[in-house]
């Protein structure tokens, strides 16, 4: 069996890993000019981590993790206003850069990746699917997988324009990595965030004197600015903390996008199937995107072992859809916690974090932050495995 996977991110690479070991011939295309490094910091655990363990990747992930044990909210002077020290039940969480997770999977994938390339046309005849790629290249395969993100080209070609599926959540997001020894030391080995109504800036110290930055901005207009760096300086430049030193140094490869979720009635059509953010985007607010991407890839590969493609694709969706719906609901609920819209909400959040430090309160707090609680996500891959 032959598969073409569009998108060499976490979802696409994980699927390639599994299909290769099931005897498939796999080829990948990626619209980025090269492998995407960096990205923002993620907390990786639950179903995705269970899949990574089954793939034999856990040891390498722990080598690349960062010792994140504390979350601090700070004010304009950099003084802590509230925070949360992770309880022992959280210590299994692996905090690492999204790009480091993708690289860990990529190191075990044999399939060739054609960069600066995407899908330009798709034709199905019932027996196979013919795909035209950038530059006029053609491939005829048994399965085309669109794992190319929330702005999926495969989804657009096969299912229609993205405005029918992408739901804007009222925020813009930006992320980048700087190299600065002084800022790195100032932030230290904890995640720090500064929030004012409608704006959030976060920072985390990385190895080699680097600093990961994340920005959220409430914005009614979903259209993206022509100059993202200038937009960030305009909105965040007067907030204090480390921002006056960091904002003038934003790199050219700054990531800037809408915060969105993707909701679709069907994830496949004929011999074309969507995976990861292309059909299941849960949003930055949900914080389980990477985990869900790996779990979904594992489920899809598991179903494809059955032989009947139509049945496999239907079963993949049946098994994953309830979990995705639950995590998306979590993301919508968490918006006002991660990016509060008023000073009152910021005050309520700060007091909630203070109360979470009381004996026994950490479990109640965790049940709010995760869909059904941490143990539910942790068990989910076994539930999915049972169909």
């Amino acid at each position: 069996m032959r598969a073409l996977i569009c998108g060499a991110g976490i979802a696409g690479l994980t699927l390639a890993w599994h299909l290769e070991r099931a005897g498939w011939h796999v080829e990948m295309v990626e619209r980025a000019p090269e492998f995407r490094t960096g990205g923002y910091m993620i907390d990786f655990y639950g179903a995705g981590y269970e899949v990574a363990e089954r793939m034999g990747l856990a040891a390498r992930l722990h080598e690349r993790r960062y010792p994140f044990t504390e979350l601090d909210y700070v004010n304009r002077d950099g003084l802590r206003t509230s925070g949360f020290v992770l309880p022992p039940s959280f210590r299994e969480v692996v905090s690492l850069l999204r790009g480091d997770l993708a690289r860990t999977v990529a190191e075990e994938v044999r399939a060739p990746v054609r960069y600066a390339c995407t899908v330009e046309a798709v034709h199905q005849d019932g027996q196979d699917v013919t795909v035209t790629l950038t530059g006029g290249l053609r491939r005829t395969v048994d399965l085309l997988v669109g794992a190319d993100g929330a702005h999926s080209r495969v989804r657009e070609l096969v299912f229609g324009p993205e405005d029918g599926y992408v739901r804007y959540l009222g925020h813009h997001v930006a992320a980048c990595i700087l190299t600065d020894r002084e800022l790195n030391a100032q932030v230290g080995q904890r995640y720090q965030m500064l929030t004012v109504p409608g704006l959030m800036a976060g920072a985390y110290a990385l190895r080699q004197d680097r600093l990961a930055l994340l920005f959220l901005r409430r914005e009614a207009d979903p259209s993206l600015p022509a100059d993202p760096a200038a937009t960030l300086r305009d909105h965040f430049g007067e907030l204090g903390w480390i921002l006056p030193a960091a904002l003038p140094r934003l790199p050219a490869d700054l990531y800037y996008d809408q915060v969105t979720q993707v909701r679709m009635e069907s994830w496949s059509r004929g011999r074309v199937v969507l995976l990861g953010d292309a059909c299941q985007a849960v949003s930055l607010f949900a914080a389980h995107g990477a985990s869900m991407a790996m779990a979904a890839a594992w489920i899809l590969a598991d179903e494809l072992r059955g032989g009947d493609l139509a049945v496999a694709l239907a079963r993949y969706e049946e098994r994953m859809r309830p979990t995705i719906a639950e995590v998306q609901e979590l993301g919508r609920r968490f918006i006002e916690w991660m990016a509060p819209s008023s000073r009152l909400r910021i005050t309520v959040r700060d007091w909630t974090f203070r109360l979470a430090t009381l004996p026994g309160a950490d479990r109640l707090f965790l049940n709010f932050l995760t869909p059904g609680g941490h143990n539910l996500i942790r068990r989910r891959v076994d539930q999915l495995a049972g169909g």
Side-chain angles (χ1 to χ4, degrees), residues 227-287:
D227 189 342
T231 297
L232 292 178
R233 287 191 286 267
D234 288 344
H235 287 276
F236 291 86
E238 303 299 322
L239 297 189
W241 185 39
I242 64 170
L243 297 176
L247 288 171
R249 303 181 53 201
L250 295 176
D253 61 350
L254 171 73
Y255 168 80
Y256 194 104
D257 202 357
Q258 305 163 339
V259 179
T260 60
Q261 291 184 340
V262 174
R263 282 173 274 175
M264 304 181 67
E265 293 184 0
S266 176
W267 296 347
S268 66
R269 184 163 293 175
R271 291 180 172 270
V272 179
V273 64
L274 302 178
L275 178 67
D277 283 353
C279 62
Q280 304 158 0
V282 296
S283 85
L284 174 70
F285 295 121

Side-chain angles (χ1 to χ4, degrees), residues 171-211:
H171 289 76
H172 290 188
V173 59
C176 66
I177 295 177
L178 306 178
T179 299
D180 188 296
R181 178 175 297 180
E182 292 184 5
L183 292 179
N184 177 287
Q186 181 176 342
V187 172
Q189 293 182 345
R190 60 190 181 276
Y191 190 61
Q192 292 191 331
M193 285 193 282
L194 169 66
T195 53
V196 298
L199 299 174
M200 187 282 288
Y204 190 85
L206 306 176
R207 288 179 281 272
Q208 300 174 328
D209 296 330
R210 296 177 300 158
L211 187 72

